[in-house]
Amino acid sequence: MKSLKENFQKAHIVIIGSGIIGKFNALELSELGFQITIIDPAKLENSSNAALGLLMGNMYQKRKGRSWDLRKQSIELWPKWIAFLQKFNKELNIEKPLIQLTTNEEKFKKLEKFIDKNNDINLRILDKSSVFIKNINKAFQTKNIRGMISFKDGRINATSLLKTLDKSLKHEKIKFLKEEVIKIRKSENHWISTTRNNEDIKSNMVILCNSLKAVDLIKNLSHNVKLKPVLGQAIELDIDEKEVDLLSLPKQFSINGKNIITKSKNKLIIGSTDEYGTEPEENQVEKLTNFLNEKPNWLMKGKISRRWYGIRSRPDGEPSPIMRKIEDGLIICTGFYKNGILLAPACSKWVANEIKNYLS
Ligand SMILES: Cc1cc2nc3c(=O)[nH]c(=O)nc-3n(C[C@H](O)[C@H](O)[C@H](O)COP(=O)(O)OP(=O)(O)OC[C@H]3O[C@@H](n4cnc5c(N)ncnc54)[C@H](O)[C@@H]3O)c2cc1C
């Protein structure tokens, strides 16, 4: 019987899809000694490149179940990932804290109850006496915004994260094929991934990290995976700096479910909407700025300088995400319709454990 190490060094793993999930899996498995090939035809046109990078883990109000377990594990794993990735980009960091705000009395009471019950020193209520809240209410010309602050949550710049991951993948000599996989099949003890150019890539294992398209590759196998496309949009707004002091606002926060990033003294980023489908609807962009009963003038006059969207996959009939062994040597990691950036460390850890068990 071969040792675990020998099994690892010999095994070749193909990862289909190079969004955040594919890249994290590739790095985690390469660190364990596997030979990795990532296959993706268009690595920049994915939902990972559209993400705002908010890591909303500790502020999640349901403190039990699978979703909480994955978040909790990711929160614990992120510092190790940052330390590892900083070897390739010293600037990469998680900007903390994260602030969640509401104008709804009932929702605020729920936040108070949640914080009261959990006794977590990293979470605090922000009421009207807080300087944060005073500045936010002043900027948005309201009196009723309140919320909570999480010192353990924050934001990572998703573009910079993906670029840094690419650098580290290159350093680890992970092979990258700019191709589309159109078919996978099992042949004796191996998997064959066939590309659109008719190239067959042989591997011991395949990990499907290609979001919505994962279903196309397994439709001939007996499985029960259903996914729906969910579109998310974001805008960058140019704001007249004479009308509002954007720098008095927190760097990352959400109001009534809309995520906001203060980019500079005259630029705000707002995202994301959730729309079923694959084509953005014009009026949804307008909705991004409608998170208060009355919009302040400066927000009304804000000019959209950039607009983008990404298509996520949402599991149909089961909770998000889907991380499952489908057959011997075939794993699926998809359905990260929200929080894919946050959950990537927990996902790659799960995959690594699954493979260790399979090969031992
Ligand atoms: C506007 C917006 C804001 C968001 N904000 C946040 C946020 O603040 N925090 C957060 O945690 N998450 C956020 N998300 C969600 C996050 O972006 C997703 O959960 C995450 O990117 C999913 O990553 P993925 O790797 O599964 O998919 P993707 O990034 O979509 O990657 C899938 C890859 O598979 C490739 N592929 C497809 N078919 C094939 C094939 N046949 N062969 C080879 N390759 C193939 C594609 O080219 C693509 O590169 C946001 C999403 C959007 C759209």
Side-chain angles (χ1 to χ4, degrees), residues 166-182:
D166 280 341
K167 265 194 195 170
S168 52
L169 291 168
K170 215 169 167 183
H171 181 264
E172 302 288 322
K173 300 200 167 46
I174 289 168
K175 224 170 136 191
F176 185 85
L177 264 184
K178 203 167 185 274
E179 297 275 1
E180 183 190 3
V181 176
I182 52 164

Side-chain angles (χ1 to χ4, degrees), residues 16-22 39-55 179-182 209-211 213 217 231-234 259 271-272 308-313 333-343:
I16 303 177
S18 80
I20 190 78
I21 300 300
I39 315 179
D40 193 321
K43 62 177 182 174
L44 290 177
E45 291 149 31
N46 53 28
S47 85
S48 300
N49 278 283
L52 300 197
L54 296 177
L55 306 178
E179 297 275 1
E180 183 190 3
V181 176
I182 52 164
C209 304
N210 55 331
S211 191
K213 300 285 175 65
L217 297 178
L231 194 130
Q233 294 202 58
N259 299 327
S272 66
W308 66 98
Y309 68 91
I311 297 158
R312 291 88 56 91
S313 54
C333 296
T334 188
F336 292 83
Y337 90 102
K338 271 189 178 162
N339 297 306
I341 308 289
L342 167 71
L343 299 179

Side-chain angles (χ1 to χ4, degrees), residues 55-67:
L55 306 178
M56 294 179 164
N58 206 40
M59 54 170 52
Y60 187 61
Q61 288 180 47
K62 216 172 127 200
R63 292 276 172 132
K64 56 178 182 211
R66 177 176 177 258
S67 191

Side-chain angles (χ1 to χ4, degrees), residues 119-354:
N119 199 18
D120 179 340
I121 53 161
N122 292 298
L123 292 171
R124 256 178 247 159
I125 278 296
L126 293 178
D127 60 22
K128 284 180 180 156
S129 64
S130 128
V131 178
F132 279 122
I133 295 297
K134 282 181 184 156
N135 287 341
I136 292 163
N137 273 318
K138 187 174 170 207
F140 286 95
Q141 296 157 22
T142 60
K143 290 193 171 78
N144 58 349
I145 296 179
R146 287 175 295 174
M148 72 166 166
I149 184 165
S150 167
F151 296 100
K152 243 183 162 179
D153 294 313
R155 177 189 180 234
I156 189 158
N157 183 316
T159 316
S160 175
L161 169 66
L162 292 164
K163 280 189 187 152
T164 310
L165 286 165
D166 280 341
K167 265 194 195 170
S168 52
L169 291 168
K170 215 169 167 183
H171 181 264
E172 302 288 322
K173 300 200 167 46
I174 289 168
K175 224 170 136 191
F176 185 85
L177 264 184
K178 203 167 185 274
E179 297 275 1
E180 183 190 3
V181 176
I182 52 164
K183 198 168 82 185
I184 54 166
R185 69 188 156 89
K186 201 161 189 187
S187 164
E188 294 169 1
N189 286 334
H190 285 92
W191 282 90
I192 310 287
S193 305
T194 307
T195 68
R196 192 162 288 286
N197 286 332
N198 254 332
E199 197 181 341
D200 280 346
I201 292 120
K202 192 173 161 187
S203 64
N204 302 86
M205 301 196 70
V206 170
I207 308 175
L208 300 172
C209 304
N210 55 331
S211 191
L212 269 182
K213 300 285 175 65
V215 173
D216 299 349
L217 297 178
I218 52 171
K219 59 180 174 234
N220 297 330
L221 311 171
S222 59
H223 70 90
N224 192 20
V225 176
K226 286 192 196 126
L227 297 167
K228 290 189 283 190
V230 183
L231 194 130
Q233 294 202 58
I235 48 172
E236 186 175 280
L237 283 178
D238 280 349
I239 304 289
D240 183 351
E241 62 187 279
K242 286 187 234 87
E243 293 204 25
V244 61
D245 179 11
L246 289 185
L247 297 180
S248 71
L249 294 174
K251 285 204 170 151
Q252 50 272 328
F253 58 107
S254 70
I255 303 185
N256 294 336
K258 295 286 178 283
N259 299 327
I260 304 171
I261 293 158
T262 320
K263 207 177 163 198
S264 66
K265 61 180 181 185
N266 56 1
K267 273 189 199 297
L268 269 190
I269 293 176
I270 310 178
S272 66
T273 50
D274 285 346
E275 306 150 50
Y276 284 104
T278 52
E279 286 303 319
E281 286 171 31
E282 198 54 40
N283 67 343
Q284 294 290 342
V285 169
E286 174 68 12
K287 276 193 191 162
L288 279 173
T289 58
N290 285 347
F291 49 84
L292 292 170
N293 280 344
E294 263 183 73
K295 254 194 241 185
N297 238 342
W298 58 265
L299 188 55
M300 213 131 65
K301 289 199 280 186
K303 289 201 174 64
I304 299 177
S305 52
R306 203 156 72 87
R307 172 186 170 179
W308 66 98
Y309 68 91
I311 297 158
R312 291 88 56 91
S313 54
R314 181 175 191 169
D316 192 3
E318 64 180 302
S320 164
I322 299 174
M323 302 194 307
R324 196 148 72 217
K325 181 180 125 186
I326 291 201
E327 281 191 23
D328 274 352
L330 180 63
I331 288 177
I332 185 167
C333 296
T334 188
F336 292 83
Y337 90 102
K338 271 189 178 162
N339 297 306
I341 308 289
L342 167 71
L343 299 179
C347 169
S348 62
K349 180 57 85 193
W350 178 86
V351 170
N353 287 337
E354 193 68 20

